Amino acid sequence: MPFTPLPRILRADVEQLASASGFGLDIGCGDGRLGAKLEREGLPILGVDRLAGAMARGTDVVGDAGALPVPEGSAALILAANLVRHLLPADPGGGFLGHWYASLRPGGILYILEDLPDRSTPQRRNYADLQDFLALAAGRGRGSLVGPEALEPALKGLPGGLDVRWGRERNLRRPDRGPVLGMLSGSGGRATGRARRLLKSIAGQGLEYGDYWWLRITRKGD
């Protein structure tokens, strides 16, 4: 869970939603740390991921972000952390946003959190370059960092009268560059080409997440 600290408004919303019956979804949950942290506030949260087992240890339900395994109008909270950038290459119009909104119950809240493509320091540039490298290697199943403007077209397709809020936070969490260096070095330390250049830059200058942005959408009461 690379977002430290979380937005205050998110924690306040979870506390409020926990006072009523309901559940939340952490989609693209990965190791499940984000959902587990918020669940301690009292709101049950299910981890949803296409992967199961060791690659997504926090998964409670195997499912796709474009076809959530819950009835429409049922979720009190939906979290999508560093997921949107991986969905946009295959769905540049952001059609998944309408599906997530429809899955919320009246008064339910959707939160999207994404690392900003921040290149203001060598460490942040290295992180952005790393994400570009991984996206290139993975093809359409993974995307580079995106800013909030990437979702503006999709927002226009949602029902009117929404409560939509944006924010930006400084991420104080420090990446662990050890596994990154190991991945880039490859078998026997024989990194070549772009991987080698990135390896050298990260080894010498380090990594930093930089800032992240969040989007909060509340479904109006029916």
Side-chain angles (χ1 to χ4, degrees):
M1 184 198 63
F3 302 107
T4 304
L6 291 171
R8 291 182 180 179
I9 191 173
L10 170 56
R11 300 195 68 125
D13 282 336
V14 171
E15 290 177 3
Q16 181 178 0
L17 292 170
S19 64
S21 60
F23 65 93
L25 298 176
D26 178 11
I27 53 178
C29 63
D31 61 17
R33 284 185 289 173
L34 174 58
K37 184 172 184 177
L38 294 177
E39 192 170 44
R40 289 195 287 271
E41 305 293 340
L43 180 69
I45 295 180
L46 297 175
V48 180
D49 205 292
R50 289 186 302 171
L51 302 173
M55 296 188 70
R57 293 184 298 274
T59 303
D60 296 304
V61 180
V62 177
D64 192 272
L68 295 177
V70 296
E72 287 194 359
S74 62
L77 178 75
I78 294 178
L79 304 167
N82 277 340
L83 175 63
V84 162
R85 70 178 191 246
H86 302 319
L87 300 179
L88 285 174
D91 185 4
F96 51 85
L97 195 62
H99 172 57
W100 295 352
Y101 178 82
S103 299
L104 292 170
R105 72 185 188 189
I109 303 173
L110 165 65
Y111 270 95
I112 292 170
L113 298 90
E114 289 282 334
D115 295 317
L116 272 167
D118 183 356
R119 299 176 184 269
S120 60
T121 69
Q123 294 80 13
R124 296 177 185 184
R125 184 184 66 244
N126 284 341
Y127 180 66
D129 288 347
L130 173 65
Q131 298 309 312
D132 289 343
F133 174 81
L134 295 174
L136 182 64
R140 298 185 74 189
R142 187 180 181 100
S144 298
L145 303 183
V146 296
E149 66 279 357
L151 282 181
E152 288 180 357
L155 285 172
K156 295 177 181 179
L158 296 181
L162 296 177
D163 179 5
V164 179
R165 305 184 193 183
W166 303 86
R168 176 171 176 163
E169 306 282 345
R170 174 65 54 85
N171 194 346
L172 302 180
R173 186 178 175 87
R174 307 293 292 186
D176 183 358
R177 64 178 177 174
V180 174
L181 295 175
M183 179 269 297
L184 290 172
S185 66
S187 177
R190 296 188 296 272
T192 60
R194 186 172 181 177
R196 185 174 184 176
R197 292 191 296 272
L198 189 55
L199 175 66
K200 183 178 179 180
S201 183
I202 293 174
Q205 299 171 329
L207 281 173
E208 185 178 340
Y209 292 121
D211 291 358
Y212 71 92
W213 60 270
W214 54 267
L215 167 66
R216 176 186 185 271
I217 301 175
T218 304
R219 178 169 179 172
K220 62 182 181 180
D222 296 340

